[in-house]
Coordinates of all heavy atoms in Angstrom, one line a residue:
M1 N 0.8 -1.2 0.0 CA 0.0 0.0 0.0 C 0.9 1.2 0.0 O 1.8 1.4 0.8 CB -0.9 0.0 1.2 CG -1.7 1.2 1.4 SD -2.7 1.3 3.0 CE -3.3 -0.4 3.2
R2 N 0.6 2.1 -0.9 CA 1.3 3.4 -1.0 C 0.6 4.5 -0.2 O -0.6 4.7 -0.5 CB 1.5 3.8 -2.4 CG 2.2 2.8 -3.3 CD 3.6 2.7 -3.3 NE 4.2 4.1 -3.4 CZ 5.5 4.3 -3.4 NH1 6.3 3.3 -3.3 NH2 5.9 5.5 -3.5
Y3 N 1.3 5.1 0.7 CA 0.6 6.1 1.5 C 0.7 7.5 0.8 O 0.1 8.4 1.2 CB 1.2 6.2 2.9 CG 1.0 5.0 3.7 CD1 2.0 4.2 4.1 CD2 -0.3 4.6 4.0 CE1 1.8 3.0 4.9 CE2 -0.6 3.5 4.8 CZ 0.5 2.7 5.2 OH 0.2 1.5 5.9
S4 N 1.6 7.6 -0.2 CA 1.8 8.9 -0.8 C 0.5 9.5 -1.4 O 0.4 10.7 -1.6 CB 2.9 8.8 -1.9 OG 2.5 7.9 -2.9
S5 N -0.4 8.6 -1.8 CA -1.7 9.1 -2.4 C -2.6 9.6 -1.3 O -3.6 10.3 -1.6 CB -2.3 8.1 -3.2 OG -2.7 7.0 -2.4
Q6 N -2.3 9.3 -0.1 CA -3.2 9.7 1.1 C -2.5 10.6 2.0 O -2.7 10.5 3.2 CB -3.7 8.4 1.8 CG -4.5 7.5 1.0 CD -5.8 8.1 0.7 OE1 -6.4 8.9 1.4 NE2 -6.3 7.8 -0.5
V7 N -1.8 11.6 1.5 CA -1.2 12.6 2.3 C -1.9 13.9 2.1 O -2.2 14.4 1.0 CB 0.3 12.8 1.8 CG1 1.0 13.9 2.6 CG2 1.1 11.5 2.0
K8 N -2.3 14.5 3.2 CA -3.1 15.8 3.2 C -2.5 16.7 4.3 O -2.1 16.3 5.3 CB -4.6 15.5 3.5 CG -5.3 14.6 2.6 CD -5.5 15.2 1.2 CE -6.3 14.2 0.3 NZ -6.3 14.6 -1.0
P9 N -2.5 18.0 4.0 CA -2.1 19.0 5.0 C -3.1 19.1 6.1 O -4.3 18.9 5.9 CB -1.9 20.3 4.2 CG -2.8 20.1 3.0 CD -2.8 18.6 2.7
I10 N -2.7 19.6 7.2 CA -3.6 19.8 8.3 C -4.7 20.7 8.0 O -5.9 20.6 8.5 CB -2.9 20.1 9.6 CG1 -3.7 19.9 10.8 CG2 -2.3 21.6 9.5 CD1 -3.0 19.9 12.1
S11 N -4.4 21.7 7.1 CA -5.5 22.7 6.7 C -6.6 22.0 6.0 O -7.8 22.3 6.2 CB -4.9 23.8 5.9 OG -4.3 23.2 4.7
Y12 N -6.3 20.9 5.2 CA -7.3 20.2 4.5 C -8.2 19.4 5.5 O -9.4 19.4 5.4 CB -6.7 19.2 3.5 CG -7.7 18.4 2.8 CD1 -8.3 18.8 1.6 CD2 -8.1 17.1 3.3 CE1 -9.2 18.1 0.9 CE2 -9.0 16.4 2.6 CZ -9.6 16.9 1.4 OH -10.6 16.1 0.7
L13 N -7.6 18.9 6.5 CA -8.3 18.1 7.6 C -9.2 19.1 8.3 O -10.4 18.8 8.6 CB -7.3 17.5 8.6 CG -8.0 16.8 9.8 CD1 -8.9 15.7 9.4 CD2 -6.9 16.3 10.7
K14 N -8.7 20.3 8.7 CA -9.6 21.3 9.4 C -10.8 21.7 8.5 O -11.9 21.8 9.1 CB -8.7 22.5 9.7 CG -7.7 22.3 10.8 CD -6.9 23.5 11.0 CE -5.8 23.4 12.0 NZ -5.0 24.6 12.2
A15 N -10.6 21.9 7.3 CA -11.7 22.4 6.4 C -12.6 21.3 6.0 O -13.8 21.6 5.6 CB -11.1 23.0 5.2
N16 N -12.2 20.0 6.0 CA -13.0 18.9 5.5 C -13.1 17.7 6.4 O -13.0 16.6 6.0 CB -12.4 18.4 4.1 CG -12.3 19.5 3.1 OD1 -13.3 20.0 2.6 ND2 -11.1 20.0 2.9
A17 N -13.2 18.0 7.7 CA -13.1 16.9 8.7 C -14.2 15.8 8.4 O -13.9 14.6 8.4 CB -13.3 17.5 10.1
A18 N -15.4 16.2 8.2 CA -16.5 15.2 8.0 C -16.2 14.4 6.7 O -16.4 13.1 6.7 CB -17.8 15.9 7.9
E19 N -15.7 15.0 5.7 CA -15.4 14.3 4.4 C -14.3 13.3 4.6 O -14.3 12.2 4.2 CB -15.1 15.3 3.3 CG -14.7 14.7 2.0 CD -14.3 15.7 1.0 OE1 -14.9 16.8 1.0 OE2 -13.4 15.4 0.2
V20 N -13.3 13.8 5.4 CA -12.1 12.9 5.7 C -12.5 11.7 6.4 O -12.1 10.6 6.1 CB -11.0 13.7 6.4 CG1 -9.9 12.8 7.0 CG2 -10.4 14.7 5.5
L21 N -13.3 11.9 7.5 CA -13.8 10.7 8.3 C -14.6 9.8 7.4 O -14.5 8.5 7.6 CB -14.6 11.2 9.5 CG -13.8 12.0 10.5 CD1 -14.8 12.5 11.6 CD2 -12.7 11.2 11.1
S22 N -15.5 10.3 6.6 CA -16.3 9.5 5.7 C -15.3 8.7 4.7 O -15.5 7.5 4.5 CB -17.2 10.3 4.9 OG -18.0 9.5 4.0
H23 N -14.4 9.3 4.2 CA -13.4 8.7 3.3 C -12.6 7.6 4.0 O -12.4 6.5 3.4 CB -12.5 9.7 2.7 CG -11.4 9.2 1.8 ND1 -11.7 8.8 0.5 CD2 -10.1 8.9 2.0 CE1 -10.6 8.3 -0.1 NE2 -9.6 8.3 0.8
L24 N -12.2 7.9 5.2 CA -11.4 6.9 6.0 C -12.3 5.6 6.2 O -11.8 4.5 6.1 CB -11.0 7.4 7.3 CG -9.9 8.5 7.3 CD1 -9.7 9.1 8.7 CD2 -8.6 7.9 6.8
A25 N -13.6 5.8 6.6 CA -14.4 4.7 6.8 C -14.7 3.9 5.6 O -14.8 2.6 5.6 CB -15.8 5.2 7.4
E26 N -14.9 4.5 4.4 CA -15.2 3.9 3.2 C -14.0 3.1 2.6 O -14.1 2.0 2.2 CB -15.7 4.9 2.2 CG -17.1 5.4 2.5 CD -17.5 6.5 1.5 OE1 -16.8 6.7 0.5 OE2 -18.5 7.2 1.8
Q27 N -12.9 3.8 2.6 CA -11.7 3.3 1.9 C -10.8 2.4 2.8 O -10.1 1.5 2.3 CB -10.8 4.4 1.4 CG -11.5 5.3 0.4 CD -11.9 4.5 -0.9 OE1 -11.1 3.7 -1.4 NE2 -13.1 4.7 -1.3
R28 N -10.9 2.6 4.1 CA -10.2 1.8 5.1 C -8.7 1.8 4.8 O -8.0 0.9 5.0 CB -10.7 0.4 5.1 CG -12.2 0.3 5.5 CD -12.7 -0.8 6.3 NE -11.8 -1.1 7.4 CZ -11.9 -2.3 8.0 NH1 -12.7 -3.2 7.6 NH2 -11.1 -2.5 9.0
E29 N -8.2 3.0 4.4 CA -6.8 3.2 4.2 C -6.4 4.4 5.1 O -7.1 5.4 5.2 CB -6.5 3.6 2.7 CG -6.7 2.5 1.8 CD -6.3 2.8 0.3 OE1 -6.1 4.0 0.1 OE2 -6.4 2.0 -0.5
P30 N -5.2 4.3 5.7 CA -4.8 5.4 6.6 C -4.5 6.7 5.8 O -4.2 6.6 4.6 CB -3.6 4.9 7.3 CG -3.1 3.8 6.4 CD -4.3 3.2 5.7
M31 N -4.5 7.8 6.4 CA -4.2 9.1 5.8 C -3.1 9.8 6.6 O -3.2 9.9 7.8 CB -5.5 10.0 5.8 CG -5.2 11.3 5.1 SD -6.8 12.3 5.1 CE -7.7 11.4 3.8
V32 N -2.1 10.2 5.9 CA -1.0 10.9 6.6 C -1.3 12.4 6.6 O -1.7 13.0 5.6 CB 0.3 10.7 5.9 CG1 1.5 11.5 6.5 CG2 0.7 9.2 5.8
I33 N -1.2 13.0 7.8 CA -1.5 14.5 7.9 C -0.1 15.2 8.1 O 0.7 14.8 8.9 CB -2.4 14.7 9.1 CG1 -3.7 14.0 9.0 CG2 -2.6 16.2 9.3 CD1 -4.5 14.3 7.8
T34 N 0.0 16.2 7.3 CA 1.3 17.0 7.4 C 1.1 18.3 8.0 O 0.0 18.9 8.0 CB 1.9 17.2 6.0 OG1 1.0 18.0 5.2 CG2 2.2 15.9 5.3
Q35 N 2.1 18.9 8.6 CA 2.1 20.2 9.1 C 3.4 20.9 8.7 O 4.5 20.3 9.0 CB 2.0 20.2 10.6 CG 1.8 21.5 11.3 CD 1.6 21.4 12.8 OE1 2.1 20.5 13.4 NE2 0.8 22.3 13.3
N36 N 3.3 22.0 8.0 CA 4.5 22.7 7.5 C 5.3 21.7 6.6 O 6.6 21.7 6.6 CB 5.4 23.2 8.6 CG 4.7 24.2 9.5 OD1 3.9 25.0 8.9 ND2 4.9 24.2 10.7
G37 N 4.6 20.9 5.8 CA 5.2 20.0 4.9 C 5.9 18.8 5.4 O 6.5 18.0 4.7
E38 N 5.7 18.5 6.7 CA 6.3 17.4 7.4 C 5.2 16.5 7.9 O 4.3 16.9 8.5 CB 7.2 17.9 8.6 CG 8.0 16.8 9.2 CD 8.9 17.4 10.3 OE1 9.3 18.6 10.2 OE2 9.2 16.7 11.3
A39 N 5.4 15.2 7.7 CA 4.4 14.2 8.2 C 4.3 14.3 9.8 O 5.4 14.2 10.4 CB 4.7 12.8 7.8
K40 N 3.1 14.5 10.3 CA 3.0 14.6 11.8 C 2.1 13.6 12.4 O 2.2 13.3 13.6 CB 2.4 16.0 12.1 CG 3.4 17.1 11.8 CD 4.6 17.1 12.8 CE 5.5 18.2 12.6 NZ 6.6 18.2 13.6
A41 N 1.1 13.1 11.6 CA 0.1 12.1 12.2 C -0.4 11.2 11.1 O -0.3 11.5 9.9 CB -1.0 12.9 12.9
V42 N -1.0 10.1 11.6 CA -1.6 9.2 10.7 C -3.0 8.9 11.2 O -3.2 8.6 12.4 CB -0.9 7.8 10.6 CG1 -1.6 6.8 9.7 CG2 0.5 8.0 10.1
L43 N -4.0 9.1 10.4 CA -5.4 8.9 10.8 C -5.9 7.6 10.1 O -5.6 7.3 9.0 CB -6.3 10.0 10.3 CG -6.1 11.4 10.9 CD1 -7.0 12.4 10.2 CD2 -6.3 11.4 12.4
Q44 N -6.7 6.8 10.9 CA -7.3 5.6 10.3 C -8.7 5.4 11.0 O -8.9 5.9 12.1 CB -6.4 4.4 10.4 CG -6.3 3.9 11.8 CD -5.3 2.7 11.9 OE1 -4.5 2.6 12.8 NE2 -5.5 1.7 11.0
D45 N -9.5 4.7 10.3 CA -10.9 4.4 10.8 C -10.7 3.5 12.0 O -9.8 2.8 12.2 CB -11.8 3.8 9.8 CG -11.3 2.5 9.3 OD1 -10.3 2.4 8.6 OD2 -11.9 1.5 9.7
V46 N -11.8 3.5 12.9 CA -11.8 2.7 14.1 C -11.7 1.2 13.8 O -10.9 0.5 14.5 CB -13.0 3.1 15.0 CG1 -13.1 2.2 16.2 CG2 -13.0 4.5 15.4
A47 N -12.4 0.7 12.9 CA -12.4 -0.7 12.6 C -11.0 -1.2 12.2 O -10.5 -2.2 12.7 CB -13.4 -1.1 11.5
S48 N -10.3 -0.4 11.4 CA -8.9 -0.8 11.0 C -8.0 -0.7 12.2 O -7.1 -1.6 12.3 CB -8.4 0.2 9.9 OG -9.1 0.0 8.7
F49 N -8.2 0.3 13.0 CA -7.4 0.4 14.2 C -7.5 -0.8 15.1 O -6.6 -1.4 15.6 CB -7.7 1.7 15.0 CG -7.0 1.9 16.3 CD1 -5.7 2.3 16.3 CD2 -7.6 1.6 17.5 CE1 -5.0 2.4 17.5 CE2 -7.0 1.7 18.7 CZ -5.6 2.1 18.7
E50 N -8.8 -1.2 15.3 CA -9.1 -2.4 16.2 C -8.5 -3.6 15.6 O -7.9 -4.4 16.3 CB -10.6 -2.5 16.4 CG -11.2 -1.4 17.3 CD -12.7 -1.5 17.4 OE1 -13.3 -2.1 16.5 OE2 -13.2 -0.8 18.3
E51 N -8.6 -3.8 14.3 CA -7.9 -5.0 13.7 C -6.4 -5.0 13.8 O -5.8 -6.0 14.1 CB -8.3 -5.0 12.2 CG -9.7 -5.3 11.9 CD -10.0 -5.2 10.4 OE1 -9.1 -4.9 9.6 OE2 -11.2 -5.4 10.0
T52 N -5.8 -3.8 13.7 CA -4.4 -3.7 13.9 C -4.0 -4.0 15.3 O -3.0 -4.8 15.6 CB -3.9 -2.2 13.6 OG1 -4.2 -1.9 12.2 CG2 -2.4 -2.1 13.8
Q53 N -4.8 -3.6 16.3 CA -4.5 -3.9 17.7 C -4.6 -5.4 18.0 O -3.8 -5.9 18.7 CB -5.4 -3.1 18.6 CG -5.2 -1.6 18.6 CD -3.7 -1.2 18.9 OE1 -3.2 -1.5 19.9 NE2 -3.1 -0.5 18.0
E54 N -5.6 -6.0 17.4 CA -5.8 -7.4 17.6 C -4.7 -8.2 17.0 O -4.1 -9.2 17.6 CB -7.1 -7.9 17.0 CG -8.3 -7.4 17.8 CD -9.7 -7.8 17.1 OE1 -9.7 -8.4 16.0 OE2 -10.7 -7.3 17.6
T55 N -4.2 -7.8 15.8 CA -3.1 -8.4 15.1 C -1.8 -8.3 16.0 O -1.1 -9.2 16.1 CB -2.9 -7.8 13.7 OG1 -4.1 -8.0 13.0 CG2 -1.7 -8.4 13.0
L56 N -1.6 -7.1 16.5 CA -0.4 -6.9 17.4 C -0.5 -7.7 18.6 O 0.6 -8.3 19.0 CB -0.3 -5.4 17.7 CG 0.1 -4.5 16.6 CD1 0.0 -3.0 17.1 CD2 1.5 -4.8 16.1
A57 N -1.7 -7.9 19.2 CA -1.8 -8.7 20.4 C -1.5 -10.2 20.0 O -0.8 -10.9 20.8 CB -3.2 -8.6 20.9
L58 N -1.9 -10.7 18.9 CA -1.6 -12.1 18.5 C -0.1 -12.2 18.2 O 0.5 -13.2 18.6 CB -2.4 -12.4 17.2 CG -3.9 -12.6 17.5 CD1 -4.6 -12.8 16.1 CD2 -4.2 -13.8 18.4
L59 N 0.5 -11.2 17.6 CA 1.9 -11.3 17.3 C 2.7 -11.3 18.6 O 3.7 -12.0 18.8 CB 2.4 -10.2 16.4 CG 1.9 -10.3 15.0 CD1 2.2 -8.9 14.2 CD2 2.6 -11.4 14.3
K60 N 2.2 -10.6 19.6 CA 2.9 -10.5 20.9 C 2.8 -11.9 21.6 O 3.8 -12.4 22.2 CB 2.3 -9.5 21.8 CG 3.0 -9.3 23.1 CD 2.5 -8.2 23.9 CE 3.4 -8.0 25.2 NZ 3.0 -6.8 25.9
I61 N 1.6 -12.5 21.5 CA 1.4 -13.9 22.1 C 2.4 -14.9 21.4 O 3.0 -15.7 22.1 CB 0.0 -14.3 21.9 CG1 -0.9 -13.5 22.9 CG2 -0.2 -15.8 22.2 CD1 -2.4 -13.7 22.6
L62 N 2.5 -14.8 20.1 CA 3.4 -15.7 19.3 C 4.9 -15.4 19.8 O 5.6 -16.4 19.9 CB 3.3 -15.5 17.8 CG 2.0 -16.0 17.2 CD1 1.9 -15.6 15.8 CD2 2.0 -17.5 17.3
A63 N 5.3 -14.2 19.9 CA 6.6 -13.8 20.3 C 6.9 -14.4 21.7 O 8.0 -14.9 22.0 CB 6.9 -12.3 20.2
L64 N 6.0 -14.2 22.6 CA 6.1 -14.8 24.0 C 6.3 -16.3 23.9 O 7.1 -16.9 24.7 CB 5.0 -14.3 24.9 CG 5.0 -12.8 25.2 CD1 3.7 -12.5 25.9 CD2 6.2 -12.4 26.0
G65 N 5.5 -16.9 23.1 CA 5.5 -18.4 23.0 C 6.9 -18.8 22.4 O 7.5 -19.8 22.9
N66 N 7.4 -18.1 21.4 CA 8.7 -18.4 20.9 C 9.8 -18.2 22.0 O 10.8 -19.0 22.0 CB 9.0 -17.5 19.7 CG 8.3 -18.0 18.4 OD1 7.9 -19.1 18.3 ND2 8.1 -17.1 17.5
Q67 N 9.7 -17.2 22.8 CA 10.7 -17.0 23.9 C 10.6 -18.1 24.9 O 11.7 -18.6 25.3 CB 10.4 -15.6 24.6 CG 10.7 -14.4 23.8 CD 10.4 -13.1 24.5 OE1 9.7 -13.1 25.6 NE2 10.7 -12.0 24.0
D68 N 9.4 -18.6 25.2 CA 9.3 -19.7 26.1 C 9.9 -21.0 25.5 O 10.6 -21.7 26.2 CB 7.8 -19.9 26.5 CG 7.3 -18.9 27.5 OD1 8.1 -18.2 28.1 OD2 6.0 -18.9 27.7
A69 N 9.6 -21.2 24.3 CA 10.2 -22.4 23.6 C 11.7 -22.3 23.6 O 12.4 -23.3 23.8 CB 9.6 -22.5 22.2
A70 N 12.3 -21.1 23.3 CA 13.7 -21.0 23.2 C 14.3 -21.1 24.6 O 15.5 -21.6 24.7 CB 14.1 -19.6 22.7
A71 N 13.6 -20.8 25.6 CA 14.1 -20.9 27.0 C 13.8 -22.3 27.6 O 14.2 -22.6 28.7 CB 13.4 -19.9 27.9
G72 N 13.2 -23.2 26.8 CA 13.0 -24.6 27.2 C 11.8 -24.8 28.1 O 11.6 -25.8 28.7
K73 N 10.9 -23.8 28.1 CA 9.7 -23.9 28.9 C 8.6 -24.5 28.1 O 7.6 -23.9 27.8 CB 9.3 -22.5 29.4 CG 10.2 -21.7 30.2 CD 9.7 -20.4 30.6 CE 10.7 -19.6 31.4 NZ 10.2 -18.2 31.7
V74 N 8.8 -25.8 27.8 CA 7.8 -26.5 27.0 C 7.5 -27.9 27.6 O 8.3 -28.4 28.5 CB 8.4 -26.8 25.5 CG1 8.5 -25.5 24.8 CG2 9.7 -27.5 25.6
R75 N 6.4 -28.4 27.3 CA 6.0 -29.8 27.8 C 5.5 -30.6 26.6 O 4.9 -30.0 25.6 CB 4.9 -29.6 28.8 CG 5.3 -29.0 30.1 CD 4.2 -29.0 31.1 NE 4.6 -28.4 32.3 CZ 3.8 -28.2 33.3 NH1 2.6 -28.5 33.3 NH2 4.3 -27.6 34.4
P76 N 5.6 -31.8 26.6 CA 5.1 -32.7 25.6 C 3.6 -32.5 25.5 O 2.9 -32.4 26.5 CB 5.5 -34.1 26.0 CG 6.6 -33.9 26.9 CD 6.4 -32.6 27.6
M77 N 3.0 -32.5 24.3 CA 1.6 -32.3 24.1 C 0.8 -33.4 24.8 O -0.3 -33.1 25.4 CB 1.3 -32.2 22.6 CG -0.2 -31.9 22.3 SD -0.6 -31.7 20.6 CE -0.7 -33.4 20.1
A78 N 1.2 -34.6 24.8 CA 0.5 -35.7 25.4 C 0.3 -35.4 26.9 O -0.8 -35.7 27.4 CB 1.2 -37.0 25.2
D79 N 1.3 -34.8 27.5 CA 1.2 -34.5 29.0 C 0.2 -33.4 29.2 O -0.6 -33.5 30.2 CB 2.6 -34.0 29.5 CG 3.6 -35.1 29.6 OD1 3.3 -36.3 29.3 OD2 4.8 -34.8 29.9
V80 N 0.1 -32.4 28.4 CA -0.8 -31.3 28.5 C -2.2 -31.9 28.3 O -3.2 -31.5 29.0 CB -0.5 -30.2 27.5 CG1 -1.6 -29.1 27.6 CG2 0.9 -29.6 27.9
V81 N -2.4 -32.7 27.2 CA -3.8 -33.2 26.9 C -4.2 -34.1 28.1 O -5.4 -34.0 28.5 CB -3.7 -34.0 25.6 CG1 -5.0 -34.8 25.4 CG2 -3.5 -33.0 24.5
A82 N -3.4 -34.9 28.6 CA -3.7 -35.8 29.8 C -4.1 -34.9 31.0 O -5.1 -35.2 31.7 CB -2.5 -36.7 30.1
R83 N -3.4 -33.9 31.2 CA -3.7 -33.0 32.4 C -5.1 -32.3 32.2 O -5.9 -32.2 33.1 CB -2.6 -31.9 32.6 CG -2.7 -31.2 33.9 CD -1.6 -30.2 34.0 NE -2.2 -28.8 33.9 CZ -1.8 -27.9 33.0 NH1 -0.8 -28.1 32.2 NH2 -2.4 -26.8 32.9
L84 N -5.3 -31.9 31.0 CA -6.6 -31.2 30.7 C -7.8 -32.2 30.8 O -8.9 -31.9 31.3 CB -6.6 -30.6 29.3 CG -5.7 -29.4 29.1 CD1 -5.7 -28.9 27.7 CD2 -6.2 -28.2 30.0
R85 N -7.6 -33.4 30.3 CA -8.6 -34.5 30.5 C -8.9 -34.8 31.9 O -10.0 -35.0 32.3 CB -8.2 -35.7 29.7 CG -8.4 -35.5 28.2 CD -8.1 -36.8 27.5 NE -8.3 -36.6 26.0 CZ -7.7 -37.2 25.1 NH1 -6.8 -38.1 25.4 NH2 -7.9 -36.9 23.8
T86 N -7.8 -34.8 32.7 CA -8.0 -35.1 34.2 C -8.8 -34.0 34.8 O -9.7 -34.3 35.6 CB -6.6 -35.2 34.9 OG1 -5.9 -36.3 34.2 CG2 -6.8 -35.5 36.3
K87 N -8.5 -32.8 34.5 CA -9.2 -31.6 35.0 C -10.7 -31.6 34.6 O -11.6 -31.4 35.4 CB -8.6 -30.3 34.6 CG -7.4 -29.9 35.4 CD -6.9 -28.5 34.9 CE -5.8 -28.0 35.8 NZ -5.4 -26.7 35.4
R88 N -10.9 -31.9 33.3 CA -12.3 -32.0 32.8 C -13.1 -33.1 33.5 O -14.3 -32.9 33.8 CB -12.3 -32.2 31.3 CG -13.6 -32.0 30.7 CD -13.5 -32.0 29.2 NE -14.8 -31.7 28.6 CZ -15.0 -31.7 27.3 NH1 -14.1 -31.9 26.5 NH2 -16.2 -31.4 26.9
A89 N -12.5 -34.2 33.7 CA -13.2 -35.3 34.4 C -13.6 -35.0 35.8 O -14.6 -35.5 36.3 CB -12.3 -36.6 34.3
A90 N -12.7 -34.2 36.4 CA -13.0 -33.8 37.8 C -14.1 -32.9 38.0 O -14.7 -32.7 39.1 CB -11.7 -33.2 38.5
V91 N -14.5 -32.2 36.9 CA -15.6 -31.2 37.0 C -16.9 -31.7 36.9 O -17.4 -32.6 36.5 CB -15.4 -30.1 35.9 CG1 -16.5 -29.1 35.9 CG2 -14.1 -29.3 36.2

């Protein structure tokens, strides 16, 4: 995805806020806002933001799992399944 087509100055955002928000929701592409010709912020719709946050959370879980595996904090799957079956039978 190329962000260069979605670069707008802050003055455009101020003058067209409702249109910008509508465009963000429809296109689901982030918009870079500039101030004095320099990129200062990125706007995106809420749904895209939430998806990004969920993706980051999953990636963090994977990274933590990889760290545990590298540190030797693993158990054979058969042991885990047996433990879960024992717990389930007790309930």
Side-chain angles (χ1 to χ4, degrees):
M1 176 186 318
R2 303 278 312 179
Y3 296 116
S4 58
S5 64
Q6 295 297 324
V7 177
K8 301 289 183 193
I10 196 165
S11 58
Y12 180 85
L13 176 62
K14 290 177 184 179
N16 302 288
E19 180 184 322
V20 167
L21 293 177
S22 177
H23 178 78
L24 288 172
E26 289 172 13
Q27 299 300 313
R28 301 214 45 199
E29 292 181 353
M31 181 178 288
V32 177
I33 302 300
T34 63
Q35 186 176 32
N36 299 324
E38 188 177 330
K40 291 291 184 176
V42 177
L43 295 178
Q44 71 181 135
D45 64 288
V46 173
S48 294
F49 176 77
E50 289 173 344
E51 288 174 6
T52 300
Q53 294 304 304
E54 289 173 7
T55 300
L56 289 172
L58 289 172
L59 288 171
K60 185 172 184 176
I61 290 168
L62 287 172
L64 291 172
N66 284 338
Q67 287 176 355
D68 284 349
K73 297 178 184 177
V74 295
R75 293 186 180 175
M77 186 175 78
D79 292 353
V80 174
V81 170
R83 192 177 108 235
L84 292 173
R85 286 187 177 149
T86 302
K87 281 185 175 183
R88 188 173 187 180
V91 174

